Amino acid sequence: MKKIKIAPSILSADFSKIGEEIAQITRDGADVIHLDVMDGSFVRNISFGPKLIKESRKYSKAVFDAHLMIVNPWNYVPQFADAGADIITVHYEACKDKLKDTLNLIKSHGVKCGAVINPDTEVSKIADVIELCDMVLLMSVFPGFGGQKFIPEVLPKIEEVAKLVNKIGKEIDIEVDGGITKENVKLVKDAGANVIVAGSTVFNEPDRAKIIKELREI
Ligand code: DX5
Ligand code: ZN
């Protein structure tokens, strides 16, 4: 059984005091800080870039997980690696036939890498690169915004990835992102996910340590 890791998405944090927010969520028990990078082009929203990540690094020793929702992500890999990301994930939809090269580029910077697919992209699109990945990220909402509703059609895809990961026989995390709540977290774990992203569910709660513990233990 893989260790369950809770990954609060700072997209739902207060950006006016982001360092403090990251320090506090780490003390509250976050294993991973999920960093949603959006460029207004790959998705219809703009969030933040490598500067914010670099300057936040001193506030937490948790794993920094940079989820790049940007076009031509290979152009920015060096900057996110230099900013202190521990893992960088890139979308199949942004990379297409450059996915394998982009994953190798990330690794060449000494950073862990992961492939991401949207809710309407089949697992078969990334099947041949899974063995290169440290993590596979399955979107359970269409990327762009926090606070959206979980799309249950992701569940069989998690199972499919879990089977492929088992066959490969390497430690590869399976992360799920979007619309995760206390009500559906067990479903994604049972399907095989072990890295649980939660933005609004964690940050909208006054007692964040409690909700992180609940998401981990349910
Ligand atoms: C969506 C982002 C998610 C999102 C999660 O584009 O990738 O990480 O912020 O937020 P919730 O948990 O509120 O759906
Ligand atoms: Zn994300």
Side-chain angles (χ1 to χ4, degrees), residues 72-75 90-92 94-106 129 132:
N72 304 340
W74 46 86
N75 286 336
V90 290
H91 273 259
Y92 161 77
C95 297
K96 297 276 174 69
D97 60 352
K98 293 195 177 72
L99 181 58
K100 192 175 179 182
D101 287 348
T102 308
L103 294 168
N104 279 321
L105 174 68
I106 297 168
V129 298
L132 276 176

Side-chain angles (χ1 to χ4, degrees), residues 9 11 34 36 38 67 69 139 143-148 177-179 197-200:
S9 162
L11 199 57
H34 185 79
D36 284 308
M38 304 178 177
H67 172 196
M69 288 163 275
M139 294 305 300
F145 299 91
Q148 302 184 76
D177 182 8
V197 177
S200 46

Side-chain angles (χ1 to χ4, degrees), residues 81-146:
D82 173 66
D86 297 295
I87 179 158
I88 297 174
T89 64
V90 290
H91 273 259
Y92 161 77
E93 298 83 6
C95 297
K96 297 276 174 69
D97 60 352
K98 293 195 177 72
L99 181 58
K100 192 175 179 182
D101 287 348
T102 308
L103 294 168
N104 279 321
L105 174 68
I106 297 168
K107 280 160 134 20
S108 76
H109 285 269
V111 175
K112 290 184 173 176
C113 70
V116 193
I117 53 172
N118 278 343
D120 60 351
T121 300
E122 311 95 73
V123 171
S124 61
K125 300 285 191 206
I126 57 163
D128 59 339
V129 298
I130 290 182
E131 60 186 333
L132 276 176
C133 294
D134 298 287
M135 184 161 81
V136 173
L137 169 49
L138 295 157
M139 294 305 300
S140 42
V141 298
F142 284 90
F145 299 91

Side-chain angles (χ1 to χ4, degrees), residues 8-95:
S9 162
I10 62 156
L11 199 57
S12 296
D14 182 343
F15 280 22
S16 71
K17 47 172 186 177
I18 200 64
E20 266 173 63
E21 288 275 74
I22 290 175
Q24 187 57 49
I25 207 71
T26 306
R27 287 193 289 270
D28 287 339
D31 305 284
V32 174
I33 306 296
H34 185 79
L35 303 154
D36 284 308
V37 176
M38 304 178 177
D39 66 352
S41 195
F42 181 72
V43 289
R44 293 174 66 89
N45 196 6
I46 299 175
S47 58
F48 54 83
K51 187 171 191 289
L52 182 129
I53 296 177
K54 190 168 195 164
E55 289 168 11
S56 299
R57 194 56 277 198
K58 61 178 175 287
Y59 291 93
S60 174
K61 289 196 164 62
V63 170
F64 269 27
D65 164 27
H67 172 196
L68 303 190
M69 288 163 275
I70 63 178
V71 297
N72 304 340
W74 46 86
N75 286 336
Y76 300 93
V77 163
Q79 288 183 52
F80 286 102
D82 173 66
D86 297 295
I87 179 158
I88 297 174
T89 64
V90 290
H91 273 259
Y92 161 77
E93 298 83 6
C95 297

